Amino acid sequence: MILQKDNHFLLSSKDTSLLIHVNEVKKVSLEYLGKRIDSLDYIDGVIRSYPYLQGSEILYDKEKTGYSLNQAKLLFSTLGKGDFFSPSCLLKSDSLSVFDFCFDHAEIKTPETLASLPCPDGGEEELVITLKEKEKNIFVDLCFTTYQDENVISCFQRVRNEEKEALIVNKLASLQIPLINEGYELYSTYGCWSGELSVQHEKVTRGKKVMESLCGWSSARHNPFFFLKSENATFDEGHVIGFNLMYSGNFENSVEMDAFENIRVQVSLSPFSFEKKLEEHECFITPVALFSNSQKGVNKMSQDFHSFINRHIIPKEFRGKDRPIAYNNWEATNFDFNQGKINSLIKKASELGIELFVLDDGWFGERNDDTKGLGDWNVNEKKLPKGLKGLAESAKKHGMQFGIWMEPEMVNPNSNLYQNHPDWVIQDSVHTLSEGRNQLVLNLAKKEVQDFVVESVCSVLESADISYLKWDCNRAISDFKNEDGTFFFSYIEGLYSALRRIRERHPNVLMENCASGGNRFDLGMLSFFPQSWQSDDTDSYQRTMIQEGGSLGYPLSTLSNHVACKVSKTRLRNTSLDTKFDVACFGVLGYELDLDDLSKLEMKIIKSQIELYKKYRSVFQWGTFSQSNLLENKEKQVQVEKDGVFLIGKYQTLQSASPKEKHL
């Protein structure tokens, strides 16, 4: 719901309202963010007044004796007129270094769809507040969308140049939210390969905290999701505000607090190596940012995001649709397999009740290790004389679907693709190229490379009865040439374009996102991939922490978790199959171990696990998820509920000699 009265705008989601105010000097500020209110009749009491300047701040307008931009709760900010927080917008031109934007007009309309970037669907109304530079025909649109029956509001921004002189955009945040400190703690996730989505929290103090990625993708180093928890809030009570960015490339999220405990939160595309030139009549649009305000603790904030992602972001074909239980052959075989070995695994997987067989890396080109063949998407007939079609038919014969692994964005230098198109890889044409996992990155900013990726993937999907695709991405970007100032952004636009075309041709293929584990796990990818591989680390203890971090901001339907061999290949820790299942079942279940090495008892255990999961699958994947604490005290309890069925997991990671009494 969006209401307007004079110079006030009230935006409301299910439980939350924002009051936006245009003041006497035409600056746009956020005057209220809290519990839902349904009327603009009695809001004068929350409008701030500024009778005096704080300290030595700059007076913005001599007619307003106390008004400084540094005090104001601005939704948009620039440098040069007395605002000394980090700006949400950085512009420059030959004639201007300082830009002063003021309210021009506003419109309430039907939400628009972004042309090259993913965005949520199902928006109810959109408020577009247009700001104009005082002396130039340069405009910024602040675009807020509300969603009926949801507690999430989305925002993106657009800068338009209507001057003959070129305009350079170095930064444009998708969202800026001003807050007054409530003793906030900042919760975010950090990580690395096999240790993704580790939760950290810290008191918000004066200064600026930045969570960012500069490697070309949204990264396990920091996830775009984060939240602020007020001092007395718990998992079930109190004020919590969550934020996320619907983008898969470099980002910069920040929380900044000044001496007076004024806070500004920014959710933004990274300004690192970004310089967008706008000629007359050109515009630039940011990715979509999302935020959710909870008065009932961390769990309510998480549940609101979960519901929103399931209803408005993941592909429509898979909303509410139960995911199959998969078996992946990677940990059983690595690159060393043949048709007979795979058929043996297919047969045993079917006996366990598994529904989807996934053939991982090593099925194409001269791919017997990770040094060659990547990019040559033709079947290795020495390994698979009957090809993918033969395996798909074998899976179908045993009552299973068939899926395939690909890494379409990458290429080995030792491949036919690279020999024929060395100019297709990302390179600066000066330095010797650095490799990661013996591979280079294809330049998806180029249309011909996008076309190759689309045709390669679609040709494989159309070569057999394939219902699932695991899309991997095993290295970050290096050696880039940023000729037009927007290379990283253009790469992600190219990736989205390719994914959009593939989904249009194969809308019913279940695609799972993977990036060397959980390196590129974000809302942008989830708009094309209904589920995402959380980590290559399948050790139960590490997975408990990974799934803890993931479930804070993302629904269980998107978390792909596998039961693997008893001795973890990443941690060398011996864990029972029971424990592995007890962790992995909260999400989309799969298996990844050598079935030929299992005893009869172990096969029986796995079969009973699968029967249990199938009985409660819709609860595990689509239920309302809650957690009682973080894993810091070595104990963890989670719960998922749907239609009156409650499933609870309680975990203890390290036993002590004198444990206290435990309570469920």
Side-chain angles (χ1 to χ4, degrees), residues 511-568:
M511 293 168 59
E512 178 166 308
N513 174 49
C514 176
S516 196
N519 263 303
R520 194 170 56 188
F521 176 46
D522 59 69
L523 298 178
M525 297 306 284
L526 288 178
S527 66
F528 301 98
F529 299 87
Q531 61 193 54
S532 190
W533 180 233
Q534 295 302 285
S535 177
D536 290 337
D537 194 330
T538 50
D539 171 71
S540 295
Y541 172 62
Q542 190 68 36
R543 269 292 182 142
T544 306
M545 293 186 286
I546 291 168
Q547 290 170 218
E548 173 182 81
S551 61
L552 282 170
Y554 302 91
L556 299 186
S557 68
T558 68
L559 309 185
S560 180
N561 312 317
H562 286 186
V563 173
C565 56
K566 288 184 292 184
V567 178
S568 165

Side-chain angles (χ1 to χ4, degrees), residues 305-421:
F305 270 125
H306 296 174
S307 174
F308 185 84
I309 293 166
N310 279 330
R311 296 180 63 178
H312 297 282
I313 289 182
I314 65 171
K316 291 180 179 179
E317 294 81 4
F318 296 94
R319 293 177 188 173
K321 184 177 180 180
D322 289 350
R323 312 276 196 265
I325 301 170
Y327 174 80
N328 185 296
N329 71 291
W330 177 250
E331 289 201 13
T333 66
N334 291 162
F335 297 101
D336 185 18
F337 60 82
N338 54 35
Q339 198 108 23
K341 174 66 173 178
I342 298 302
N343 279 326
S344 171
L345 293 172
I346 287 174
K347 183 175 183 298
K348 289 200 171 183
S350 70
E351 292 170 356
L352 294 172
I354 287 169
E355 301 157 320
L356 166 66
F357 187 94
V358 180
L359 181 65
D360 210 281
D361 197 355
W363 59 268
F364 52 90
E366 298 297 321
R367 187 74 165 173
N368 297 310
D369 54 43
D370 67 4
T371 66
K372 54 188 174 181
L374 194 61
D376 300 336
W377 299 110
N378 51 294
V379 175
N380 184 327
E381 295 183 351
K382 292 180 181 179
K383 291 183 178 181
L384 304 173
K386 295 184 180 180
L388 299 180
K389 187 174 182 180
L391 292 179
E393 290 173 349
S394 177
K396 186 174 183 180
K397 176 184 174 183
H398 287 90
M400 289 192 295
Q401 302 174 61
F402 181 70
I404 199 73
W405 175 98
M406 295 182 74
E407 192 172 1
E409 298 165 73
M410 306 294 165
V411 62
N412 287 128
N414 188 354
S415 67
N416 293 328
L417 175 62
Y418 183 77
Q419 298 307 312
N420 293 329
H421 298 285

Side-chain angles (χ1 to χ4, degrees), residues 465-515:
D465 188 4
I466 296 172
S467 61
Y468 166 100
L469 171 66
K470 181 178 180 180
W471 181 298
D472 212 340
C473 174
N474 275 306
R475 62 153 291 179
I477 291 174
S478 63
D479 300 298
F480 56 91
K481 189 174 184 178
N482 197 18
E483 291 178 290
D484 63 358
T486 60
F487 168 74
F488 285 105
F489 185 78
S490 298
Y491 180 92
I492 296 299
E493 280 191 311
L495 171 63
Y496 289 153
S497 176
L499 289 172
R500 192 174 291 111
R501 290 162 63 188
I502 292 167
R503 285 218 58 84
E504 286 171 354
R505 287 172 62 171
H506 297 280
N508 296 312
V509 170
L510 175 60
M511 293 168 59
E512 178 166 308
N513 174 49
C514 176

Side-chain angles (χ1 to χ4, degrees), residues 131-193:
L131 313 178
K132 180 183 179 299
E133 210 288 321
K134 273 190 171 182
E135 306 299 331
K136 298 284 185 178
N137 287 317
I138 302 170
F139 300 86
V140 172
D141 299 321
L142 314 181
C143 306
F144 296 88
T145 300
T146 59
Y147 299 82
Q148 189 174 7
D149 299 326
E150 298 290 344
N151 201 39
V152 173
I153 292 175
S154 70
C155 179
F156 68 90
Q157 299 191 5
R158 173 175 45 225
V159 58
R160 296 178 283 126
N161 182 26
E162 301 299 338
E163 290 285 329
K164 295 187 182 299
E165 181 182 32
L167 178 69
I168 302 297
V169 183
N170 290 122
K171 178 182 178 180
L172 184 62
S174 300
L175 175 69
Q176 176 170 284
I177 291 289
L179 300 168
I180 295 295
N181 189 25
E182 296 180 14
Y184 284 120
E185 283 187 282
L186 168 63
Y187 284 70
S188 61
T189 63
Y190 69 94
C192 58
W193 177 81

